[in-house]
Amino acid sequence: MADILRGGQFLVKETKCDAIFTPEDFSEEQIMMRDSVKEFVDKELWANKERFEKKDYAFTEECMRKAGELGFLSVAVPEAYGGMGMGFVNTVLVCDYISGATGSFSTAFGAHTGIGTMPITLYGTEEQKQKYVPKLASGEWFGAYCLTEPGAGSDANSGKTKAVLSEDGTHYKITGGKMWISNAGFCNLFIVFARIEDDKNITGFIVENDPSNGISLGDEEHKLGIRSSSTRQVFFNETKVPVENMLAGRGEGFKIAMNALNVGRIKLGAACLDAQRRNITESVKYANERIQFKTPISSFGAIQAKLAEMATSAYAGESATYRAAADIQKRIEIRQSEGNSHQEAELKGVEEFAIECSILKVAVSEDIQNCSDEGIQIFGGMGFSEDTPMESAWRDARIARIYEGTNEINRMLSVGMLIKKAMKGHVDLLGPAMAVAEELMGIPSFDTPDYTELFAEEKEMIAKLKKSFLMVAGAAVQKFGQELDKHQQLLMAAADMLIEIYMAESTILRTEKLVKKVGEEKAQEQIAMAQLYLYNAVDIITKRGKEGIVSFAEGDEQRMMLMGLRRFTKYVNMPNVVALRDKIAAKLISENQYCY
């Protein structure tokens, strides 16, 4: 197991491009899977986009049934319970391509296949899995997940819903209210979290949706976006749940909720990818057709800059998402080969890369928001109209930064988990951080480096950006120790540095691998995107690093660290940013679509 990278280790170990999986590595089976999902989406969802905007909840349910018939709800479910039992990359692939047309459907799909089904496949007893999972995998039944309450959002463990054991010990009576429950209007089964007596942690239960058993629903919520995603409050009034329907053990609910969210986070990142591709394609088509000053607006540099930045973010998101998905899959396979059960292997595999899952959730959800926003701008006045697909895309994108843990929570988690891993000895941060501190005391080299090889300078920049993170985070940990989690603004700044390092490195490694396969000539635009992404990342890391340093260091220490930050963010040869954007945009405009 020594050669396999652990979660978070990307920061302190060099990753070779051959070690990562990229979308260019899809197998024939994966390409067939992707194409069949795209065909379903184009025919059933994209073609009926306005029905989703008119709150046609029944239509969302109908499309979910069709997805079930085509097997799309069962990709991650083991064959023993009526699923396809495919690997983690395939799960992410289906989630990616099924989610691009409308947020209403992708929310229903994600809530059902992820947090509605997965807690049973990963924590259920054999009896529970045999009883419920085949129905969920086929789409005969739909699942929903009841965690959030009016007083328990980000602080998920503070829920007030109670579970009281009956006098004869055969069942629990659940009483309480849950809110923002996706799929509530048409689900057959709830995963419900409730507290037994005064337990420190909540407990999970499988609850069948039977209105005669004290279950009632609020009205459909009126929401900014995802309008045909059924979202209601769910009320339980002494709802009887057999004791054998407890999920895992008493007080294990918080753990189930947190682990379900890890998987949910990488899938949410994936669910924002095809939406970007479609937004970019729609924007390119419009820019090519829209004539102003007797010329298509796609010929204007201001529009080309937008298209190039949109495509670069989408390409980076794909690069990082599939890198992490394959790392998780490898981890799962190793654990299974060592005799772990499917449940254990999958849980531990995803948990290992929880940092990367949080990074992706934040990065890609913010990219889709920017992408749809710029899409509206390219469409101009038409972008603001319901007659074009941009305004619904913009509204649907907004929820992605809130659910599966807000982006603020995920930012703090990513750095917090990294520090915990370092404390446990799973990732050696201390050694590299000390080495960086020593390097700052030394005299920098003034040799002119040899950058003739492709990406030689970019890879050195990545190594230096990692040093800048280690310098800032290392000094913050030294200064505040266990109290660091009270300094949220510093954590947020460090998280942005961490996110940009992972995204930029993933983009460069994907492109380097592609160039080895097809040659530099055929990958000009991808090389430009990798260079442009890095340039933008360096700017963000410089800004956030400086913000951190001036906020917790003073005097000589501050001067020393600012000098280090300048050294670690300094290019030898700056890229020509306008030329990079021009090259990326030219290809999009000539292909009339997102084509990478």
Side-chain angles (χ1 to χ4, degrees):
M1 215 153 168
D3 62 331
I4 181 113
L5 208 62
R6 296 195 74 135
Q9 276 187 340
F10 69 88
L11 246 189
V12 290
K13 290 200 168 174
E14 191 195 348
T15 305
K16 300 279 190 226
C17 71
D18 306 328
I20 73 156
F21 180 86
T22 74
E24 288 76 33
D25 297 323
F26 288 151
S27 65
E28 275 180 36
E29 177 200 45
Q30 286 167 328
I31 289 166
M32 277 167 62
M33 191 85 188
R34 179 193 70 191
D35 292 347
S36 65
V37 172
K38 275 165 80 172
E39 189 186 339
F40 164 76
V41 171
D42 287 334
K43 196 168 116 209
E44 304 291 344
L45 310 181
W46 188 258
N48 294 300
K49 204 166 162 59
E50 70 279 3
R51 290 186 69 176
F52 291 105
E53 295 316 304
K54 294 197 171 98
K55 305 190 179 180
D56 192 339
Y57 302 108
F59 184 61
T60 301
E61 184 182 351
E62 187 188 313
C63 292
M64 282 288 288
R65 295 222 181 273
K66 284 180 181 163
E69 284 158 22
L70 292 166
F72 299 148
L73 305 180
S74 72
V75 176
V77 173
E79 288 177 39
Y81 312 107
M84 292 191 186
M86 289 187 164
F88 197 77
V89 172
N90 288 49
T91 301
V92 167
L93 176 71
V94 171
C95 190
D96 169 353
Y97 281 91
I98 212 161
S99 301
T102 162
S104 298
F105 180 84
S106 64
T107 299
F109 176 85
H112 170 76
T113 55
I115 51 184
T117 304
M118 203 176 49
I120 307 178
T121 55
L122 296 187
Y123 287 98
T125 61
E126 191 54 39
E127 293 72 32
Q128 288 169 345
K129 288 188 288 189
Q130 295 285 3
K131 184 174 179 183
Y132 295 114
V133 176
K135 288 178 178 170
L136 293 165
S138 67
E140 181 192 338
W141 276 28
F142 293 118
Y145 180 85
C146 299
L147 177 64
T148 307
E149 298 182 15
S154 295
D155 182 7
N157 205 23
S158 66
K160 303 274 186 288
T161 297
K162 284 278 180 210
V164 180
L165 188 61
S166 62
E167 284 179 14
D168 63 1
T170 59
H171 59 269
Y172 283 92
K173 288 180 188 166
I174 293 184
T175 301
K178 299 287 183 178
M179 70 192 302
W180 309 128
I181 307 307
S182 296
N183 297 357
F186 62 84
C187 75
N188 310 78
L189 174 151
F190 298 107
I191 307 288
V192 182
F193 294 91
R195 194 176 309 280
I196 301 170
E197 293 170 352
D198 292 323
D199 287 1
K200 178 174 171 244
N201 289 329
I202 48 181
T203 299
F205 295 90
I206 303 169
V207 181
E208 293 183 27
N209 184 5
D210 172 6
S212 69
N213 185 17
I215 298 176
S216 57
L217 302 178
D219 292 337
E220 287 287 356
E221 300 285 353
H222 299 291
K223 309 185 294 291
L224 171 72
I226 58 170
R227 289 190 168 167
S228 287
S229 151
S230 174
T231 313
R232 294 184 172 194
Q233 286 185 289
V234 182
F235 303 101
F236 300 96
N237 183 12
E238 300 215 329
T239 300
K240 291 180 179 174
V241 184
V243 288
E244 58 269 23
N245 274 29
M246 184 189 283
L247 253 187
R250 178 171 172 170
E252 301 273 292
F254 186 59
K255 190 174 78 180
I256 297 173
M258 292 305 100
N259 283 327
L261 288 174
N262 285 336
V263 185
R265 282 167 185 151
I266 184 169
K267 287 175 74 177
L268 185 80
C272 296
L273 293 175
D274 197 51
Q276 287 181 76
R277 294 185 202 103
R278 286 175 185 265
N279 281 350
I280 294 163
T281 293
E282 292 300 308
S283 300
V284 174
K285 282 181 180 165
Y286 186 81
N288 278 337
E289 286 162 17
R290 172 73 170 160
I291 306 292
Q292 287 293 278
F293 310 105
K294 297 182 183 163
T295 177
I297 63 169
S298 62
S299 63
F300 299 132
I303 299 292
Q304 290 170 0
K306 290 183 189 303
L307 293 172
E309 293 286 356
M310 289 155 80
T312 297
S313 291
Y315 180 74
E318 291 170 353
S319 309
T321 301
Y322 285 101
R323 173 190 184 181
D327 281 342
I328 290 170
Q329 183 168 315
K330 267 185 227 160
R331 197 79 194 185
I332 292 168
E333 285 164 359
I334 285 171
R335 284 193 165 273
Q336 283 181 313
S337 70
E338 290 174 350
N340 284 23
S341 67
H342 165 263
Q343 286 166 288
E344 182 82 332
E346 187 122 341
L347 276 170
K348 292 290 184 207
V350 175
E351 200 178 337
E352 179 63 55
F353 289 95
I355 294 166
E356 287 79 354
C357 291
S358 279
I359 286 173
L360 288 164
K361 193 273 172 177
V362 173
V364 193
S365 67
E366 293 181 359
D367 287 341
I368 180 57
Q369 188 81 62
N370 294 335
C371 182
S372 55
D373 196 69
E374 290 287 44
I376 288 182
Q377 199 67 14
I378 290 167
F379 273 74
M382 285 306 293
F384 206 70
S385 161
E386 287 186 4
D387 295 338
T388 62
M390 282 301 152
E391 70 84 44
S392 65
W394 185 84
R395 286 186 292 97
D396 283 355
R398 188 59 188 84
I399 186 64
R401 285 156 53 199
I402 297 171
Y403 56 22
E404 306 285 359
T406 65
N407 284 10
E408 291 69 27
I409 289 280
N410 273 291
R411 278 186 161 88
M412 291 185 286
L413 268 178
S414 62
V415 179
M417 289 188 289
L418 185 66
I419 292 166
K420 274 203 185 90
K421 281 197 150 203
M423 304 279 188
K424 285 184 180 167
H426 291 179
V427 177
D428 175 20
L429 287 187
L430 194 62
M434 305 265 284
V436 172
E438 275 170 36
E439 188 180 331
L440 288 179
M441 309 298 281
I443 298 163
S445 157
F446 294 106
D447 300 343
T448 311
D450 173 20
Y451 289 142
T452 45
E453 201 176 305
L454 177 70
F455 288 142
E457 178 162 13
E458 287 79 3
K459 289 201 292 198
E460 192 171 290
M461 279 303 291
I462 292 282
K464 289 196 296 190
L465 295 177
K466 291 177 183 180
K467 287 179 183 176
S468 68
F469 174 86
L470 289 166
M471 173 182 76
V472 174
V477 170
Q478 255 181 327
K479 182 153 190 142
F480 300 113
Q482 299 290 337
E483 298 284 287
L484 184 60
D485 60 0
K486 294 196 173 78
H487 298 270
Q488 291 193 346
Q489 293 190 50
L490 291 180
L491 283 174
M492 303 282 276
D496 283 344
M497 297 172 81
L498 186 67
I499 288 164
E500 292 306 322
I501 289 165
Y502 188 71
M503 301 301 286
E505 181 180 64
S506 301
T507 311
I508 286 165
L509 292 174
R510 172 187 180 179
T511 311
E512 187 186 8
K513 192 173 184 182
L514 176 69
V515 168
K516 280 189 173 181
K517 199 159 137 184
V518 302
E520 265 184 67
E521 199 44 53
K522 286 191 180 148
Q524 287 295 306
E525 295 80 17
Q526 286 91 336
I527 292 169
M529 286 191 286
Q531 290 170 333
L532 179 60
Y533 192 93
L534 178 64
Y535 175 83
N536 291 335
V538 170
D539 263 2
I540 293 167
I541 288 167
T542 303
K543 180 174 184 281
R544 301 298 266 155
K546 184 175 166 187
E547 188 185 315
I549 292 165
V550 300
S551 301
F552 73 78
E554 291 170 340
D556 283 348
E557 185 194 17
Q558 188 192 86
R559 275 193 295 279
M560 194 74 167
M561 287 174 75
L562 287 172
M563 187 190 76
L565 185 68
R566 279 195 297 276
R567 192 193 296 182
F568 295 145
T569 52
K570 187 168 177 279
Y571 277 94
V572 176
N573 308 290
M574 290 292 251
N576 177 337
V577 176
V578 171
L580 293 178
R581 289 195 196 122
D582 286 350
K583 183 178 284 187
I584 299 159
K587 175 85 167 164
L588 293 165
I589 290 161
S590 72
E591 298 271 343
N592 205 27
Q593 63 176 342
Y594 178 80
C595 51
Y596 300 114

